[in-house]
Amino acid sequence: TWTAPENNGSAVTSYLLQRNDAAGSCSGTFVVGAQTSHATLGATISALTSLQSYCVRVCAVNAIGNGVWSNVVSAVTSGVVGKVSGADPATFNLAAAPLYTGTTNQVMYRAGTGQMDLDADGNYMYIAESLNSVIRRVDTMTGDSVLIAGSGVAGYNTGAATATGTVHSPAGLVVLGNFIYFSDNNCIKQIDLAGSTIAVYAGTCGTGATTNGARLTTAKFAAKGGIVADPAATVLLISDNNALRKLVFSTGLVSTITVTPFNPLTTGYA
């Protein structure tokens, strides 16, 4: 739906709605995939592909002509629950090709306790495969898979191209723009998708402790757990050995959030 604009003395007779069918970002040149005319302040768009990102814009039409196009808005369609990618475990030879990449039915995933997250447009899914010690990217439309980081051998090499930088049983993972943050072995690592590099972002890999302070010089993590970011992408929240840790991007400081245990059987509900 949309709201009626100012008509400058000439009544609006209809609205044009344009849809961009090109997968990817809605920024840049708007590629028109379909255009429809509507008499009311809303429209239902049908015959869309499930789990795809679409961009739309609207303009008003009156006796003078077409008005200015609205800002572009985007949405990802929902879909039925089903397999996005992955081979049938009953027929796939895991020992022969544990890190196989390629089409949807040729890849066996071993995420274990690893998280997964989508990019902003929903076009790619990133998976932390803890059992394979790799980070993988999956095309949500085709199911095709490529390795982003790791070789299948756990290690701490960083600062290299992501194809050769090693990881150590990754667990939590979150995608923020062009960066992926994931919990590794007692540290948080960052993958720069634009620069194709991997580096330690916080903590000391292989050295476990619950220590607060500056992310690269003082802070340490006791374990590797789940990671989430706040909606404004200003902090990371990390589950760390029965503690909740907070990493603030602007200051680079890591702290522990105090959580008061609550037992409704003894305390009662508020």
Side-chain angles (χ1 to χ4, degrees):
T1 60
W2 51 86
T3 56
E6 295 293 331
N7 59 31
N8 295 321
S10 179
V12 174
T13 57
S14 63
Y15 296 89
L16 292 179
L17 184 148
Q18 288 185 345
R19 187 180 81 222
N20 179 356
D21 290 347
S25 174
C26 292
S27 61
T29 303
F30 192 92
V31 181
V32 180
Q35 178 173 293
T36 53
S37 179
H38 305 274
T40 59
L41 297 173
T44 299
I45 304 175
S46 58
L48 302 178
T49 302
S50 63
L51 300 178
Q52 168 142 346
S53 176
Y54 289 93
C55 312
V56 296
R57 64 182 183 180
V58 178
C59 79
V61 180
N62 59 17
I64 300 174
N66 295 352
V68 178
W69 288 104
S70 69
N71 293 330
V72 177
V73 296
S74 66
V76 178
T77 53
S78 59
V80 297
V81 176
K83 184 181 73 174
V84 174
S85 181
D88 181 355
T91 60
F92 190 82
N93 187 346
L94 181 60
L99 292 178
Y100 193 92
T101 59
T103 57
T104 178
N105 293 321
Q106 296 174 311
V107 184
M108 174 64 75
Y109 299 98
R110 304 178 70 209
T113 57
Q115 279 181 235
M116 58 188 72
D117 195 15
L118 292 169
D119 68 354
D121 293 317
N123 294 321
Y124 295 105
M125 178 190 300
Y126 294 87
I127 305 172
E129 288 192 50
S130 59
L131 299 181
N132 270 339
S133 289
V134 297
I135 304 295
R136 199 188 295 268
R137 186 189 74 193
V138 178
D139 187 313
T140 57
M141 293 302 299
T142 67
D144 291 351
S145 169
V146 296
L147 293 182
I148 295 298
S151 62
V153 178
Y156 302 117
N157 177 37
T158 57
T162 55
T164 56
T166 55
V167 299
H168 195 293
S169 303
L173 179 147
V174 65
V175 181
L176 297 177
N178 283 328
F179 297 98
I180 297 174
Y181 298 89
F182 64 95
S183 56
D184 213 25
N185 194 12
N186 306 120
C187 61
I188 306 299
K189 287 184 180 177
Q190 178 199 69
I191 293 176
D192 182 344
L193 295 172
S196 297
T197 57
I198 180 172
V200 176
Y201 190 77
T204 302
C205 297
T207 303
T210 305
T211 308
N212 295 322
R215 63 180 177 88
L216 279 178
T217 57
T218 309
K220 289 182 174 58
F221 297 88
K224 52 179 175 239
I227 296 180
V228 296
D230 69 320
T234 60
V235 301
L236 289 179
L237 295 177
I238 304 133
S239 172
D240 182 31
N241 197 30
N242 297 322
L244 184 61
R245 315 288 298 282
K246 179 174 74 173
L247 194 164
V248 181
F249 285 117
S250 61
T251 64
L253 295 178
V254 176
S255 60
T256 299
I257 298 177
T258 301
V259 179
T260 302
F262 173 75
N263 186 342
L265 296 179
T266 57
T267 307
Y269 292 99

PDB file of all heavy atoms in Angstrom, residues 186-209:
ATOM      1  N   ASN A 186      38.074 -19.664  20.961  1.00  0.00           N
ATOM      2  CA  ASN A 186      38.388 -18.636  21.959  1.00  0.00           C
ATOM      3  C   ASN A 186      38.602 -17.251  21.352  1.00  0.00           C
ATOM      4  O   ASN A 186      39.281 -16.405  21.951  1.00  0.00           O
ATOM      5  CB  ASN A 186      39.619 -19.004  22.794  1.00  0.00           C
ATOM      6  CG  ASN A 186      39.491 -20.360  23.436  1.00  0.00           C
ATOM      7  OD1 ASN A 186      40.296 -21.256  23.181  1.00  0.00           O
ATOM      8  ND2 ASN A 186      38.467 -20.551  24.244  1.00  0.00           N
ATOM      9  N   CYS A 187      38.070 -16.998  20.175  1.00  0.00           N
ATOM     10  CA  CYS A 187      38.213 -15.675  19.573  1.00  0.00           C
ATOM     11  C   CYS A 187      37.062 -15.409  18.609  1.00  0.00           C
ATOM     12  O   CYS A 187      36.311 -16.315  18.256  1.00  0.00           O
ATOM     13  CB  CYS A 187      39.554 -15.524  18.851  1.00  0.00           C
ATOM     14  SG  CYS A 187      39.790 -16.694  17.490  1.00  0.00           S
ATOM     15  N   ILE A 188      36.939 -14.146  18.216  1.00  0.00           N
ATOM     16  CA  ILE A 188      35.964 -13.739  17.205  1.00  0.00           C
ATOM     17  C   ILE A 188      36.754 -13.338  15.964  1.00  0.00           C
ATOM     18  O   ILE A 188      37.680 -12.530  16.044  1.00  0.00           O
ATOM     19  CB  ILE A 188      35.106 -12.549  17.680  1.00  0.00           C
ATOM     20  CG1 ILE A 188      34.441 -12.856  19.019  1.00  0.00           C
ATOM     21  CG2 ILE A 188      34.073 -12.192  16.625  1.00  0.00           C
ATOM     22  CD1 ILE A 188      33.511 -14.029  19.002  1.00  0.00           C
ATOM     23  N   LYS A 189      36.395 -13.903  14.821  1.00  0.00           N
ATOM     24  CA  LYS A 189      37.082 -13.561  13.582  1.00  0.00           C
ATOM     25  C   LYS A 189      36.152 -12.781  12.661  1.00  0.00           C
ATOM     26  O   LYS A 189      34.929 -12.877  12.759  1.00  0.00           O
ATOM     27  CB  LYS A 189      37.585 -14.822  12.873  1.00  0.00           C
ATOM     28  CG  LYS A 189      38.779 -15.466  13.554  1.00  0.00           C
ATOM     29  CD  LYS A 189      39.298 -16.657  12.775  1.00  0.00           C
ATOM     30  CE  LYS A 189      40.505 -17.294  13.467  1.00  0.00           C
ATOM     31  NZ  LYS A 189      40.969 -18.504  12.753  1.00  0.00           N
ATOM     32  N   GLN A 190      36.781 -12.006  11.774  1.00  0.00           N
ATOM     33  CA  GLN A 190      36.039 -11.187  10.825  1.00  0.00           C
ATOM     34  C   GLN A 190      36.477 -11.527   9.409  1.00  0.00           C
ATOM     35  O   GLN A 190      37.675 -11.585   9.114  1.00  0.00           O
ATOM     36  CB  GLN A 190      36.287  -9.706  11.089  1.00  0.00           C
ATOM     37  CG  GLN A 190      35.586  -8.754  10.117  1.00  0.00           C
ATOM     38  CD  GLN A 190      36.212  -7.381  10.124  1.00  0.00           C
ATOM     39  OE1 GLN A 190      37.341  -7.192   9.671  1.00  0.00           O
ATOM     40  NE2 GLN A 190      35.488  -6.401  10.656  1.00  0.00           N
ATOM     41  N   ILE A 191      35.517 -11.761   8.531  1.00  0.00           N
ATOM     42  CA  ILE A 191      35.792 -11.942   7.106  1.00  0.00           C
ATOM     43  C   ILE A 191      35.318 -10.700   6.377  1.00  0.00           C
ATOM     44  O   ILE A 191      34.160 -10.291   6.518  1.00  0.00           O
ATOM     45  CB  ILE A 191      35.080 -13.182   6.544  1.00  0.00           C
ATOM     46  CG1 ILE A 191      35.653 -14.461   7.153  1.00  0.00           C
ATOM     47  CG2 ILE A 191      35.210 -13.238   5.019  1.00  0.00           C
ATOM     48  CD1 ILE A 191      34.933 -15.723   6.714  1.00  0.00           C
ATOM     49  N   ASP A 192      36.215 -10.081   5.620  1.00  0.00           N
ATOM     50  CA  ASP A 192      35.880  -8.945   4.771  1.00  0.00           C
ATOM     51  C   ASP A 192      35.552  -9.499   3.386  1.00  0.00           C
ATOM     52  O   ASP A 192      36.443  -9.910   2.639  1.00  0.00           O
ATOM     53  CB  ASP A 192      37.065  -7.980   4.712  1.00  0.00           C
ATOM     54  CG  ASP A 192      36.768  -6.736   3.886  1.00  0.00           C
ATOM     55  OD1 ASP A 192      35.784  -6.740   3.121  1.00  0.00           O
ATOM     56  OD2 ASP A 192      37.528  -5.756   3.994  1.00  0.00           O
ATOM     57  N   LEU A 193      34.274  -9.536   3.044  1.00  0.00           N
ATOM     58  CA  LEU A 193      33.865 -10.117   1.767  1.00  0.00           C
ATOM     59  C   LEU A 193      34.347  -9.286   0.588  1.00  0.00           C
ATOM     60  O   LEU A 193      34.646  -9.827  -0.480  1.00  0.00           O
ATOM     61  CB  LEU A 193      32.340 -10.252   1.721  1.00  0.00           C
ATOM     62  CG  LEU A 193      31.729 -11.236   2.720  1.00  0.00           C
ATOM     63  CD1 LEU A 193      30.217 -11.141   2.708  1.00  0.00           C
ATOM     64  CD2 LEU A 193      32.185 -12.654   2.416  1.00  0.00           C
ATOM     65  N   ALA A 194      34.429  -7.969   0.766  1.00  0.00           N
ATOM     66  CA  ALA A 194      34.883  -7.116  -0.324  1.00  0.00           C
ATOM     67  C   ALA A 194      36.381  -7.262  -0.555  1.00  0.00           C
ATOM     68  O   ALA A 194      36.855  -7.298  -1.694  1.00  0.00           O
ATOM     69  CB  ALA A 194      34.533  -5.651  -0.034  1.00  0.00           C
ATOM     70  N   GLY A 195      37.140  -7.362   0.528  1.00  0.00           N
ATOM     71  CA  GLY A 195      38.588  -7.469   0.406  1.00  0.00           C
ATOM     72  C   GLY A 195      39.115  -8.885   0.401  1.00  0.00           C
ATOM     73  O   GLY A 195      40.306  -9.121   0.226  1.00  0.00           O
ATOM     74  N   SER A 196      38.219  -9.854   0.615  1.00  0.00           N
ATOM     75  CA  SER A 196      38.586 -11.281   0.631  1.00  0.00           C
ATOM     76  C   SER A 196      39.702 -11.570   1.633  1.00  0.00           C
ATOM     77  O   SER A 196      40.689 -12.231   1.316  1.00  0.00           O
ATOM     78  CB  SER A 196      38.997 -11.746  -0.774  1.00  0.00           C
ATOM     79  OG  SER A 196      37.922 -11.638  -1.666  1.00  0.00           O
ATOM     80  N   THR A 197      39.554 -11.048   2.850  1.00  0.00           N
ATOM     81  CA  THR A 197      40.540 -11.310   3.898  1.00  0.00           C
ATOM     82  C   THR A 197      39.828 -11.803   5.149  1.00  0.00           C
ATOM     83  O   THR A 197      38.637 -11.559   5.355  1.00  0.00           O
ATOM     84  CB  THR A 197      41.346 -10.044   4.248  1.00  0.00           C
ATOM     85  OG1 THR A 197      40.444  -9.005   4.641  1.00  0.00           O
ATOM     86  CG2 THR A 197      42.178  -9.590   3.059  1.00  0.00           C
ATOM     87  N   ILE A 198      40.607 -12.483   5.982  1.00  0.00           N
ATOM     88  CA  ILE A 198      40.103 -12.975   7.261  1.00  0.00           C
ATOM     89  C   ILE A 198      41.089 -12.556   8.336  1.00  0.00           C
ATOM     90  O   ILE A 198      42.300 -12.616   8.134  1.00  0.00           O
ATOM     91  CB  ILE A 198      39.916 -14.514   7.235  1.00  0.00           C
ATOM     92  CG1 ILE A 198      39.399 -15.024   8.581  1.00  0.00           C
ATOM     93  CG2 ILE A 198      41.185 -15.229   6.838  1.00  0.00           C
ATOM     94  CD1 ILE A 198      39.015 -16.489   8.550  1.00  0.00           C
ATOM     95  N   ALA A 199      40.570 -12.095   9.484  1.00  0.00           N
ATOM     96  CA  ALA A 199      41.450 -11.618  10.553  1.00  0.00           C
ATOM     97  C   ALA A 199      40.784 -11.843  11.904  1.00  0.00           C
ATOM     98  O   ALA A 199      39.560 -11.965  12.003  1.00  0.00           O
ATOM     99  CB  ALA A 199      41.758 -10.134  10.364  1.00  0.00           C
ATOM    100  N   VAL A 200      41.591 -11.910  12.951  1.00  0.00           N
ATOM    101  CA  VAL A 200      41.065 -11.981  14.314  1.00  0.00           C
ATOM    102  C   VAL A 200      40.501 -10.613  14.664  1.00  0.00           C
ATOM    103  O   VAL A 200      41.178  -9.589  14.524  1.00  0.00           O
ATOM    104  CB  VAL A 200      42.162 -12.374  15.319  1.00  0.00           C
ATOM    105  CG1 VAL A 200      41.607 -12.334  16.736  1.00  0.00           C
ATOM    106  CG2 VAL A 200      42.705 -13.751  15.007  1.00  0.00           C
ATOM    107  N   TYR A 201      39.258 -10.576  15.109  1.00  0.00           N
ATOM    108  CA  TYR A 201      38.628  -9.299  15.448  1.00  0.00           C
ATOM    109  C   TYR A 201      38.637  -9.050  16.949  1.00  0.00           C
ATOM    110  O   TYR A 201      38.733  -7.914  17.390  1.00  0.00           O
ATOM    111  CB  TYR A 201      37.193  -9.267  14.942  1.00  0.00           C
ATOM    112  CG  TYR A 201      36.553  -7.907  15.048  1.00  0.00           C
ATOM    113  CD1 TYR A 201      36.863  -6.908  14.131  1.00  0.00           C
ATOM    114  CD2 TYR A 201      35.649  -7.606  16.073  1.00  0.00           C
ATOM    115  CE1 TYR A 201      36.298  -5.650  14.232  1.00  0.00           C
ATOM    116  CE2 TYR A 201      35.075  -6.352  16.177  1.00  0.00           C
ATOM    117  CZ  TYR A 201      35.404  -5.383  15.253  1.00  0.00           C
ATOM    118  OH  TYR A 201      34.851  -4.126  15.350  1.00  0.00           O
ATOM    119  N   ALA A 202      38.545 -10.109  17.740  1.00  0.00           N
ATOM    120  CA  ALA A 202      38.553  -9.947  19.194  1.00  0.00           C
ATOM    121  C   ALA A 202      39.028 -11.232  19.845  1.00  0.00           C
ATOM    122  O   ALA A 202      38.782 -12.331  19.347  1.00  0.00           O
ATOM    123  CB  ALA A 202      37.161  -9.577  19.704  1.00  0.00           C
ATOM    124  N   GLY A 203      39.723 -11.075  20.988  1.00  0.00           N
ATOM    125  CA  GLY A 203      40.199 -12.233  21.720  1.00  0.00           C
ATOM    126  C   GLY A 203      41.524 -12.760  21.197  1.00  0.00           C
ATOM    127  O   GLY A 203      42.130 -12.199  20.279  1.00  0.00           O
ATOM    128  N   THR A 204      41.976 -13.849  21.812  1.00  0.00           N
ATOM    129  CA  THR A 204      43.219 -14.519  21.407  1.00  0.00           C
ATOM    130  C   THR A 204      42.888 -15.970  21.093  1.00  0.00           C
ATOM    131  O   THR A 204      42.488 -16.734  21.979  1.00  0.00           O
ATOM    132  CB  THR A 204      44.272 -14.458  22.531  1.00  0.00           C
ATOM    133  OG1 THR A 204      44.524 -13.095  22.858  1.00  0.00           O
ATOM    134  CG2 THR A 204      45.564 -15.117  22.076  1.00  0.00           C
ATOM    135  N   CYS A 205      43.031 -16.342  19.842  1.00  0.00           N
ATOM    136  CA  CYS A 205      42.675 -17.698  19.423  1.00  0.00           C
ATOM    137  C   CYS A 205      43.485 -18.734  20.186  1.00  0.00           C
ATOM    138  O   CYS A 205      44.716 -18.629  20.275  1.00  0.00           O
ATOM    139  CB  CYS A 205      42.894 -17.863  17.921  1.00  0.00           C
ATOM    140  SG  CYS A 205      41.858 -16.806  16.900  1.00  0.00           S
ATOM    141  N   GLY A 206      42.811 -19.710  20.756  1.00  0.00           N
ATOM    142  CA  GLY A 206      43.488 -20.788  21.456  1.00  0.00           C
ATOM    143  C   GLY A 206      43.784 -20.509  22.913  1.00  0.00           C
ATOM    144  O   GLY A 206      44.280 -21.384  23.618  1.00  0.00           O
ATOM    145  N   THR A 207      43.487 -19.283  23.375  1.00  0.00           N
ATOM    146  CA  THR A 207      43.718 -18.925  24.775  1.00  0.00           C
ATOM    147  C   THR A 207      42.383 -18.602  25.421  1.00  0.00           C
ATOM    148  O   THR A 207      41.798 -17.542  25.175  1.00  0.00           O
ATOM    149  CB  THR A 207      44.666 -17.712  24.896  1.00  0.00           C
ATOM    150  OG1 THR A 207      45.898 -18.009  24.245  1.00  0.00           O
ATOM    151  CG2 THR A 207      44.923 -17.382  26.356  1.00  0.00           C
ATOM    152  N   GLY A 208      41.891 -19.503  26.250  1.00  0.00           N
ATOM    153  CA  GLY A 208      40.565 -19.349  26.814  1.00  0.00           C
ATOM    154  C   GLY A 208      40.541 -18.665  28.152  1.00  0.00           C
ATOM    155  O   GLY A 208      41.289 -19.021  29.065  1.00  0.00           O
ATOM    156  N   ALA A 209      39.681 -17.650  28.294  1.00  0.00           N
ATOM    157  CA  ALA A 209      39.463 -16.961  29.571  1.00  0.00           C
ATOM    158  C   ALA A 209      38.270 -16.042  29.397  1.00  0.00           C
ATOM    159  O   ALA A 209      37.887 -15.717  28.267  1.00  0.00           O
ATOM    160  CB  ALA A 209      40.688 -16.157  29.991  1.00  0.00           C
TER     161      ALA A 209
END
